[in-house]
Amino acid sequence: MKKDIKILAIESSCDETAAAVIGADEKGGPVILSSVVSSQVDLHAKTGGVVPEVASRAHMEAIVPIITEALIQSGVGSREQGAGVPDYTDAIEILQNHIDYIAVTAGPGLIGSLLVGFNAAKTIAYSLDKPIIPVNHIEGHIYSPLATTENKFEFPVLTLTVSGGHTSLTLLRDHVEYETIGGTKDDAAGEAFDKVAKLLGLGYPGGPEVSKLASEFRSKNEKTSFLFPRPILNDGTFNFSFSGLKTAVLQHVLNVKKERELTENDKEEICAAFEDASVDVLTTKAMRAVEKYKPKTLVLAGGVAANKRLREILKQKVDSCESQINLLIPSIDLCGDNAAMIGVAVFYHLQKGNVSTWQEVKCDSNLEIGSRS
Ligand code: KG4
Ligand code: ZN
C-alpha cells in the first residue's frame, strides 16, 4: 500500500448525504482532508421521521454537489492559487488524478437511500477504473474515533454502537474483524429517544430534545420521583430491549393525562427518567462485557454517543473500573452519520488487502457486520 493514499468516501444510508476525502499522516494513520454532510433533518422534521421515498429523492439532488464539495475542500490536486472559484472541472481533475480508492457504505440502511451513494461510487469506480471498497455502516461508526489522530485501537477492542437504527456490542480482536456479542431485540436506542420525543410533542430528531429537557430537569432537581424499567438488564446476555421502556413511558403519560395535561415539568421529568433508564441499561451491559472480554479499548459510537449523560456515565464507570481500559468516544461532529468514518474504516481494510472491483460489490439493506458484500 503506497504511503500517501487518498480515499474518497461516500455515505447515504439514511438521511444524511455525505462525502469525505481521507489521506494518511506522516505516522501512517488516517487523516480527514475534508468531510461534508448534507442533512435532511429539516425535511423530515415536517413528518416527525424519515420518509424513505423523500430521503432518496433528497440524496439524488445532493449527491453530486456533496462529492464535488468534498473533493474541492480536500485541497488535493494541482490547482494553481488564484485560479478562480473551483468547480466541477477541478473536482473531476482531483478524482481522476489524485484519488486512489473509493469507499462506500453498502448497508445496512434504507435501500433507496443506500443505492444513491452506492451507485455514485460504483459509477466513479467503473468510469475511472478505480478500486472500490464497500463498508458496513456500523463499522464506519466503530472506526469514527480513529478519525482523530491521537486515538488508537489496542486489541481486543469492545464497541458499543448506539444509533437510530442500531444498538450493538461488538468485539474486535484485530482490525476489521468483528464478533457481535449483543444487539437489540426490538427498537434501537436512538429510535426509542425519537419515539419518546414524538410522544411528548418534541421536535425531530428526538435524541437531542429529550437530552435537553432531561438536563433542565436535573439542573433543578436531585432525582426523579419515579423510575422507568430497565428491560432485560439481568437476563445474562449482552442484548438490549427498548420497546418495553418506550411502552412504560407511554403508560406513564396516559396515567398523568387521566388527571391533567402534561406540564413542562412533567415532560422534563419523563425525559430525565427515560434517559436515566436508557443510559443505565447501555452502560451496565457494556461494563459487564468489559468484565467478560477484558478489552484494552472501549469505543462508544453512533448518533446516540452524542448524548452528554451517556458519555459522562460511561466515563465514570470506566474510571472506577479495576482494569486499565482506554475509552474512545468520537467528537460530537463524528457521532452522527458522516463519510469520514467510512473512509477511516477503509483505511484499515486496505491494510488487510481488502479491495474490490465495481463488478464485485453489492448493496444490501440488511448487511451484517463482518460479511464482505
Ligand atoms: O448514527 P445516526 O446519525 O444515524 C443512524 O445510523 O441511525 O443516529 C441518529 C440517532 C437518532 O435517533 C437521534 O435521535 C440520536 O441518534 N441522537 C441522540 C442525540 N443526538 C442524536 N440521542 C440521544 N441524545 C443525543 N444527544
Ligand atoms: Zn449511523
Side-chain angles (χ1 to χ4, degrees):
M1 188 171 123
K2 74 173 197 176
K3 276 202 172 134
D4 62 340
I5 57 158
K6 304 278 181 300
I7 302 165
L8 168 68
I10 300 172
E11 150 70 42
S12 70
S13 64
C14 188
D15 58 349
E16 257 97 30
T17 321
V21 177
I22 301 296
D25 64 15
E26 61 284 357
K27 288 193 195 136
V31 58
I32 302 177
L33 300 177
S34 66
S35 178
V36 185
V37 181
S38 163
S39 173
Q40 302 174 4
V41 159
D42 293 346
L43 203 59
H44 301 302
K46 291 178 207 148
T47 42
V50 178
V51 178
E53 170 73 16
V54 175
S56 348
R57 281 168 187 254
H59 282 304
M60 282 300 292
E61 280 171 29
I63 193 79
V64 174
I66 291 299
I67 292 174
T68 304
E69 196 60 37
L71 289 165
I72 290 170
Q73 281 188 21
S74 71
V76 171
S78 33
R79 203 161 182 280
E80 278 168 29
Q81 287 277 324
V85 181
D87 62 12
Y88 288 95
T89 341
D90 300 286
I92 290 166
E93 191 276 324
I94 297 168
L95 201 45
Q96 268 176 337
N97 301 328
H98 304 278
I99 297 294
D100 304 292
Y101 301 96
I102 314 298
V104 65
T105 306
L110 300 170
I111 194 66
S113 292
L114 279 166
L115 279 170
V116 176
F118 192 77
N119 273 328
K122 213 167 143 181
T123 307
I124 295 169
Y126 164 73
S127 55
L128 298 178
D129 195 22
K130 306 261 180 200
I132 179 167
I133 300 95
V135 178
N136 184 298
H137 181 77
I138 303 170
E139 73 176 313
H141 279 302
I142 289 173
Y143 272 90
S144 58
L146 297 198
T148 306
T149 322
E150 308 81 65
N151 293 343
K152 293 277 168 297
F153 278 0
E154 259 194 280
F155 296 97
V157 174
L158 178 71
T159 66
L160 171 62
T161 314
V162 269
S163 72
H166 320 278
T167 307
S168 48
L169 277 165
T170 314
L171 192 69
L172 285 81
R173 297 192 196 273
D174 195 358
H175 276 300
V176 303
E177 286 182 17
Y178 308 95
E179 188 188 328
T180 302
I181 60 166
T184 180
K185 296 176 93 61
D186 38 60
D187 293 350
E191 195 180 349
F193 271 88
D194 293 339
K195 286 179 178 166
V196 166
K198 203 167 184 177
L199 187 67
L200 298 176
L202 310 175
Y204 172 85
E209 296 291 321
V210 169
S211 178
K212 196 169 106 200
L213 265 64
S215 357
E216 267 159 38
F217 181 83
R218 287 191 202 101
S219 69
K220 293 179 269 184
N221 305 273
E222 205 139 284
K223 56 181 183 183
T224 57
S225 60
F226 56 89
L227 298 178
F228 284 129
R230 273 72 171 149
I232 65 167
L233 184 64
N234 296 312
D235 68 340
T237 74
F238 296 112
N239 290 328
F240 302 94
S241 165
F242 288 96
S243 87
L245 173 56
K246 182 192 65 191
T247 310
V249 176
L250 172 65
Q251 206 49 55
H252 179 91
V253 169
L254 293 176
N255 286 344
V256 175
K257 281 192 172 170
K258 275 186 204 154
E259 320 252 316
R260 55 185 166 79
E261 278 310 302
L262 291 178
T263 63
E264 265 319 292
N265 189 62
D266 288 331
K267 290 187 186 177
E268 289 172 4
E269 186 165 20
I270 291 168
C271 288
F274 166 78
E275 192 176 59
D276 283 346
S278 311
V279 168
D280 191 13
V281 173
L282 290 167
T283 56
T284 304
K285 289 242 169 172
M287 293 316 287
R288 281 189 198 147
V290 164
E291 271 170 43
K292 177 163 181 191
Y293 294 98
K294 313 219 173 327
K296 293 206 174 108
T297 308
L298 176 64
V299 170
L300 170 66
V304 184
N307 185 276
K308 200 165 158 259
R309 186 87 175 161
L310 177 59
R311 294 166 88 96
E312 279 169 8
I313 302 283
L314 190 61
K315 189 168 179 324
Q316 277 170 22
K317 290 191 178 181
V318 165
D319 287 346
S320 56
C321 159
E322 280 179 7
S323 44
Q324 273 286 323
I325 173 163
N326 189 20
L327 176 63
L328 298 181
I329 309 179
S331 55
I332 300 289
D333 57 323
L334 287 168
C335 287
D337 290 348
N338 64 86
M341 66 185 193
I342 302 299
V344 171
V346 161
F347 195 90
Y348 292 95
H349 271 295
L350 290 173
Q351 291 185 351
K352 292 282 179 100
N354 296 338
V355 183
S356 316
T357 61
W358 63 268
Q359 293 101 323
E360 293 164 336
V361 295
K362 284 195 193 72
C363 189
D364 177 356
S365 61
N366 296 313
L367 186 67
E368 289 198 12
I369 191 158
S371 64
R372 303 286 297 137
S373 68

